[in-house]
Amino acid sequence: MSRLLTHRWTVLPVVALVVLALAWGRSPGGLVALAVATVLASAVLSSVHHAEVLAHRFGEPFGSLLLAVAVTVIEVGLIITLTVGQAGASSVARDTVFAAFMIATNGIVGASLLAATLRGRVAVFNAEGSGAMLATLTAIAVLCLVLPNFTSSSPGPTYSTGQLLFVAVAALSLYALFVFVQTVRHREHFEPVEGAPVTPHAALRPTGRGVLASALLLVVALVAVVGLAKVLSPALESAVLEAGLPITTVGVLIAAMVLMPEAITAVLAARADNDDVQRSFNLAYGSAMASIGLTIPVVAVISIATDSTLLLGLSSANTLLLALTVAVSVLTVTPGRATLLQAGVHLTTCAAFLAVAVMP
């Protein structure tokens, strides 16, 4: 027990909660803001660590699913805290979920394929599961982020109240159906391909006490992340504006922060001895799907309840990047095998998105 109490992943969530209590109601700047941001990053890493502990307990694909949902809770909390009384609030949700889509499907997938192909020349994964995730993700992304530009019931890239309710229910339903298929109906499609070596995790499976401790610390870390993000939101927006960057950069920063631990986990899985590229894909596509399929319904309900405008439709440039990503992803997952070339294409597409986000 003494070792548990002194472990860094146990201490960091508690420290983050203490810092939140001290900083709440203040607007830190300069070095203080940097220190709070460091604590915030440590709380994000801690939350993902404890989600990983629970994942080892329940196994795949539950592990990837749990991790995706955990970071999506963080993302939703960050979006909500950043959209209360802030400039550009009506587009923060759209910018964040689209950034999560692009970073996950291009950045994480590309980095995972790069790690796997540098180690073993050819990356092998389950085409059935990866294709199913990509199809569901594409449908949700188009319904939430592209279709608003082509409807006529509401002006601009927005939905009417009825349309917004329909899209929220559709996105949530598709995500729930995906979870059922992934964990019950066709679970085998989301596991490593048959014959691929799998490193046993029985020795890593935590005890009941460890699972309970991680569950409690995960809640503490999530509370700290959302609270500290609220404290830092004025400083973050001021820094973006002072640097002359577009306000959409805030969404990119949120997505990059919440996906950073998943990206690290995915790359480590791809370059491990068992070469678990399928788990990398589960994390990448699962996190992007959870980001859109869970975030949009939540912010839609908040938008309707507060009678506020919610901008969802993407710009022409971002719509083109989404289409390019879908086309490239289909060609990547269909064979069930990928090489260094596919890794380079995905990483270049991610770099193009980041360049357009900074220099529209």
Side-chain angles (χ1 to χ4, degrees), residues 4-335:
L4 175 65
L5 292 176
T6 57
H7 197 281
R8 66 181 182 279
W9 300 123
T10 303
V11 174
L12 288 177
V14 178
V15 171
L17 199 62
V18 172
V19 172
L20 172 60
L22 295 175
W24 188 255
R26 305 172 186 270
S27 298
L31 294 178
V32 176
L34 181 61
V36 174
T38 302
V39 175
L40 172 60
S42 69
V44 171
L45 293 173
S46 298
S47 65
V48 175
H49 166 78
H50 291 297
E52 278 279 276
V53 172
L54 298 178
H56 281 304
R57 179 70 173 185
F58 299 113
E60 284 293 319
F62 296 100
S64 299
L65 178 64
L66 180 62
L67 191 56
V69 172
V71 298
T72 302
V73 170
I74 297 174
E75 181 179 314
V76 171
L78 291 176
I79 291 174
I80 293 174
T81 57
L82 290 175
T83 54
V84 178
Q86 301 297 323
S90 59
S91 63
V92 169
R94 177 198 62 191
D95 298 336
T96 303
V97 297
F98 179 63
F101 173 89
M102 294 298 294
I103 292 173
T105 57
N106 288 305
I108 298 179
V109 167
S112 299
L113 290 178
L114 179 64
T117 54
L118 287 178
R119 185 179 184 279
R121 296 180 65 85
V122 176
V124 181
F125 46 88
N126 200 319
E128 292 89 347
S130 301
M133 286 189 288
L134 182 60
T136 310
L137 175 59
T138 301
I140 296 176
V142 171
L143 287 175
C144 294
L145 303 176
V146 177
L147 188 59
N149 288 326
F150 299 92
T151 57
S152 58
S153 298
S154 180
T158 63
Y159 276 132
S160 66
T161 300
Q163 292 170 335
L164 191 57
L165 282 174
F166 168 77
V167 169
V169 172
L172 194 59
S173 299
L174 283 175
Y175 183 73
L177 180 60
F178 158 72
V179 171
F180 172 74
V181 171
Q182 184 189 39
T183 58
V184 179
R185 192 66 175 267
H186 297 289
R187 180 175 175 178
E188 69 279 3
H189 290 174
F190 303 91
E191 295 176 348
V193 294
E194 186 176 354
V198 179
T199 302
H201 292 285
L204 301 176
R205 184 166 295 180
T207 63
R209 180 181 296 180
V211 168
L212 178 60
S214 287
L216 293 174
L217 289 169
L218 176 60
V219 174
V220 171
L222 291 176
V223 171
V225 166
V226 174
L228 290 175
K230 176 62 176 177
V231 171
L232 283 175
S233 59
L236 175 63
E237 185 174 320
S238 297
V240 168
L241 295 177
E242 289 177 4
L245 299 175
I247 194 64
T248 55
T249 308
V250 174
V252 177
L253 292 175
I254 296 173
M257 182 176 63
V258 299
L259 289 176
M260 177 182 62
E262 276 197 321
I264 295 173
T265 303
V267 172
L268 290 178
R271 68 186 297 270
D273 291 338
N274 57 332
D275 192 24
D276 195 356
V277 178
Q278 184 57 47
R279 182 163 192 250
S280 301
F281 277 30
N282 289 348
L283 286 166
Y285 291 134
S287 61
M289 198 184 311
S291 176
I292 303 178
L294 297 180
T295 302
I296 295 300
V298 171
V299 296
V301 171
I302 294 174
S303 174
I304 294 172
T306 58
D307 194 25
S308 57
T309 302
L310 180 61
L311 301 180
L312 288 178
L314 296 172
S315 65
S316 299
N318 285 336
T319 300
L320 182 61
L321 285 172
L322 187 149
L324 173 63
T325 296
V326 171
V328 168
S329 299
V330 169
L331 296 175
T332 295
V333 305
T334 299

